[in-house]
Amino acid sequence: MTVDSHTVLYSVIGDPIRHSKSPIMMNRAFRECNINGVYTAFHIKGENLAAFVAGVRAMGIRGVNVTIPHKLAIMPLLDEIDESAQMIGAVNTIVNNDGRLTGYNTDGLGYVRSLKEEAEPDLRGKRILIIGSGGAARGIVYALTKEGAGSIVIANRTVERAKQLAQAFSGLLPIHAIAHSELKAACAEADIVINTTSVGMFPHVEETPVDARWLRQGAIASDLIYNPLTTKFLEEARENGCRIHGGLGMFIYQGAYAFEYWTGAPAPVKAMREVVLQALKG
Ligand code: NAP
């Protein structure tokens, strides 16, 4: 593909940003679909966020992914916030329609699409235990409200945050918070246990969020972490007879949704996964 006077610009912003695998994933997607686009990573400091957004409008950057620490701060700078981002309270994707900027959140939707494609196609009636109550957990709870999940239990180190999260979605499905001390019993009852904390992430690969022996055989153990691709929690759950689901798919599908919002074309998910896997292993 040649970069020419018609090439459309896309980007990811964050601070830090040089670790991001989004540029290789998205540029591969554009090439795969013969779209004349280029996706770059911009290191934007908080004090330059408003200037960056003005630049998006001025330069006609068509799409932006937003990562830590700007997901909240960017919201008041946009023209419209989609329901997903409003309910989650954070934006990770911006679509620029002729200077009008709309913020979306594709993290939780991406997670659920990955869970359905890779582990469990039908989430209706499922009893789901979520460990952690940060931004990622919030996105996942939002996305699960669309799937007819049977119930959600939330456990968090800081129980107050688990309670706040349960409270925010209490009108939409059966959901309640528990203390860490109740985790063993909650694991035994769950069809799907999702680790949304950073426990077990590189370099702390020997840590696990719960004892995998507490899960039922045949239950799904799911982890948002993709470095390592298979965490110790997932390895132990597999040894215990569970089905396992890692975090790479969430990363791929949050990007796939963004790609689809920007281009209207179906995302080439297989190619996106292939190039990210290569980069992670290389
Ligand atoms: P966050 O908002 O900072 O929330 C972190 C959560 O982890 C909080 O609930 C926190 O509990 C808990 N936690 C942190 N350290 C802990 C520890 N040592 N023991 C017990 N709980 C601990 O982060 P986030 O944005 O939700 O991200 C969470 C994880 O998801 C990260 O590992 C991130 O890499 C991963 N993630 C993956 C993808 C993907 O595409 N696969 C996308 C987004 C996030 P407290 O409330 O008690 O502090």
Side-chain angles (χ1 to χ4, degrees):
M1 193 204 76
T2 313
V3 174
D4 61 18
S5 356
H6 296 280
T7 302
V8 177
L9 195 58
Y10 301 81
S11 73
V12 59
I13 60 164
D15 176 22
I17 198 61
R18 296 298 164 219
H19 63 286
S20 174
K21 302 283 182 254
S22 291
I24 52 159
M25 176 169 79
M26 292 305 206
N27 284 312
R28 171 69 183 267
F30 289 138
R31 281 202 307 279
E32 197 73 19
C33 298
N34 274 323
I35 290 171
N36 189 356
V38 164
Y39 185 108
T40 60
F42 291 127
H43 185 182
I44 303 292
K45 297 269 183 200
E47 62 267 29
N48 292 328
L49 195 58
F52 171 77
V53 172
V56 171
R57 289 196 174 92
M59 294 164 66
I61 295 177
R62 165 69 177 155
V64 179
N65 284 132
V66 182
T67 187
I68 292 167
H70 302 316
K71 290 184 180 191
L72 300 180
I74 198 116
M75 293 178 76
L77 302 170
L78 307 178
D79 300 301
E80 204 175 318
I81 304 292
D82 162 78
E83 186 212 75
S84 60
Q86 232 160 42
M87 292 287 290
I88 296 162
V91 160
N92 81 329
T93 300
I94 301 171
V95 179
N96 178 359
N97 280 319
D98 299 324
R100 188 169 173 76
L101 307 188
T102 304
Y104 297 84
N105 195 311
T106 67
D107 278 336
L109 298 171
Y111 171 81
V112 165
R113 189 154 146 195
S114 151
L115 183 66
K116 289 172 76 174
E117 299 265 337
E118 296 160 24
E120 176 55 68
D122 188 1
L123 299 175
R124 277 175 303 175
K126 294 288 184 291
R127 294 162 300 174
I128 300 174
L129 169 62
I130 296 180
I131 306 168
S133 301
R138 212 176 158 88
I140 288 172
V141 171
Y142 166 77
L144 287 172
T145 63
K146 312 271 180 206
E147 298 293 331
S151 63
I152 297 182
V153 174
I154 303 174
N156 194 42
R157 179 177 61 178
T158 313
V159 71
E160 241 353 273
R161 287 186 83 192
K163 284 182 185 163
Q164 281 165 10
L165 178 51
Q167 178 63 34
F169 290 90
S170 60
L172 299 174
L173 81 175
I175 181 167
H176 74 276
I178 58 165
H180 250 212
S181 56
E182 297 169 88
L183 258 178
K184 187 174 181 183
C187 281
E189 282 176 13
D191 300 310
I192 305 175
V193 177
I194 309 170
N195 174 37
T196 75
T197 75
S198 47
V199 178
M201 188 157 71
F202 181 83
H204 305 291
V205 296
E206 285 306 312
E207 294 175 6
T208 59
V210 283
D211 187 334
R213 287 169 303 186
W214 294 348
L215 276 66
R216 283 192 300 104
Q217 285 193 8
I220 294 172
S222 174
D223 204 323
L224 268 51
I225 294 169
Y226 59 88
N227 184 15
L229 287 168
T230 308
T231 56
K232 186 168 184 195
F233 167 54
L234 294 189
E235 257 164 29
E236 290 184 348
R238 181 163 52 196
E239 282 163 18
N240 192 45
C242 294
R243 292 180 279 158
I244 63 167
H245 170 247
L248 182 63
M250 174 177 183
F251 177 67
I252 306 295
Y253 282 111
Q254 62 75 32
Y257 273 113
F259 179 93
E260 289 169 4
Y261 291 167
W262 295 331
T263 67
V269 175
K270 195 163 160 268
M272 291 163 75
R273 183 185 293 267
E274 186 184 278
V275 76
V276 174
L277 260 178
Q278 256 169 24
L280 286 171
K281 286 177 180 163

